[in-house]
Amino acid sequence: MGSVVRSCIQSTLKLVNSLIGMAGLAMMLYAGWMIRFWQRETGELPFGGDSDYPPPWFIYAFLGLGVIFCLITCWGHIAAETANGCCLYLYMLFIVLLLMLEAAVTVDVILNQDWEKDFPEDPMGNFEQFKNFVRSNFEMCKWVGLSIVIIQGLSLLLAMILKALGPHQYYDSDDEYASDRAPLLNNAAYQPPYVVVDSAYGSKR
């Protein structure tokens, strides 16, 4: 019964973890679109150190978050497959740090009226376009962000349950069968030996 529950938890964790990876891929695709827009407007890639433009931090942020989400997804799949305690602890640590970062940004945006001044200037205006998109589609963006947070929290909960269930038992112990085999072995050990003697050997001539 425990192995069935563990397998269900593992499958569910992989599924939920895949949703985090899909969010990371979406961020990377959006960052790729912004890189293409930057290259079309400036004629150079945004990763050059000798550019005349300020560094496009918004592109870096989206690309970095997408890569982090994908790396966490890969690590989560490894942790779910192996059910190893160390892997699960690291996965939970990554999720907690990610939730803390998201909570810090959310609190800063809600409580700080001048939160936009905390970010440097975006040379291509991608940050401004993103803000306008969020404002015009606030309900959809709110539910998307809330869904991502719920998925991360659910991943953390499933990892904790899987850690509590313990690792796989890949073999059965022989101790439970020892008591059944011991009498047979003892009887065989104490069975008196017998000798076959030729009847003609002891006969008189």
Side-chain angles (χ1 to χ4, degrees):
M1 182 63 181
S3 60
V4 175
V5 175
R6 184 185 293 106
S7 298
C8 292
I9 296 296
Q10 286 178 296
S11 301
T12 307
L13 180 57
K14 291 178 183 179
L15 177 61
V16 175
N17 197 46
S18 299
L19 298 177
I20 299 178
M22 292 175 62
L25 287 176
M27 292 181 179
M28 293 176 66
L29 289 175
Y30 183 61
W33 177 83
M34 289 189 291
I35 291 172
R36 178 60 181 165
F37 179 75
W38 173 281
Q39 186 179 15
R40 187 174 65 248
E41 293 294 326
T42 63
E44 59 185 16
L45 290 174
F47 306 106
D50 55 351
S51 177
D52 297 331
Y53 297 92
W57 65 269
F58 191 66
I59 297 178
Y60 297 162
F62 251 83
L63 184 61
L65 281 175
V67 171
I68 290 173
F69 272 50
C70 291
L71 290 177
I72 290 177
T73 299
C74 294
W75 190 264
H77 272 71
I78 295 174
E81 180 66 27
T82 61
N84 181 270
C86 182
C87 293
L88 288 170
Y89 275 131
L90 287 177
Y91 177 69
M92 288 187 285
L93 177 62
F94 294 152
I95 294 294
V96 168
L97 291 177
L98 189 59
L99 287 172
M100 290 175 61
L101 176 62
E102 294 170 354
V105 174
T106 303
V107 170
D108 183 57
V109 171
I110 293 176
L111 300 181
N112 187 8
Q113 297 181 353
D114 299 328
W115 62 271
E116 297 181 12
K117 296 181 180 179
D118 296 337
F119 300 96
E121 181 183 358
D122 183 26
M124 298 305 296
N126 291 321
F127 183 49
E128 192 67 30
Q129 294 176 5
F130 182 74
K131 286 192 302 181
N132 294 333
F133 175 79
V134 172
R135 287 169 180 168
S136 59
N137 302 275
F138 180 74
E139 288 297 324
M140 182 189 71
C141 293
K142 181 181 70 174
W143 286 110
V144 169
L146 185 60
S147 300
I148 292 175
V149 173
I150 291 175
I151 289 171
Q152 293 170 356
L154 184 59
S155 299
L156 180 61
L157 178 61
L158 291 172
M160 293 173 63
I161 295 175
L162 187 59
K163 178 63 181 68
L165 291 176
H168 284 286
Q169 298 295 332
Y170 293 102
Y171 62 91
D172 293 330
S173 175
D174 292 336
D175 296 338
E176 60 184 69
Y177 305 108
S179 60
D180 297 333
R181 289 199 301 260
L184 297 178
L185 293 175
N186 293 334
N187 292 336
Y190 292 107
Q191 183 177 3
Y194 63 93
V195 179
V196 177
V197 180
D198 189 0
S199 59
Y201 180 77
S203 64
K204 295 182 179 179
R205 296 176 182 269

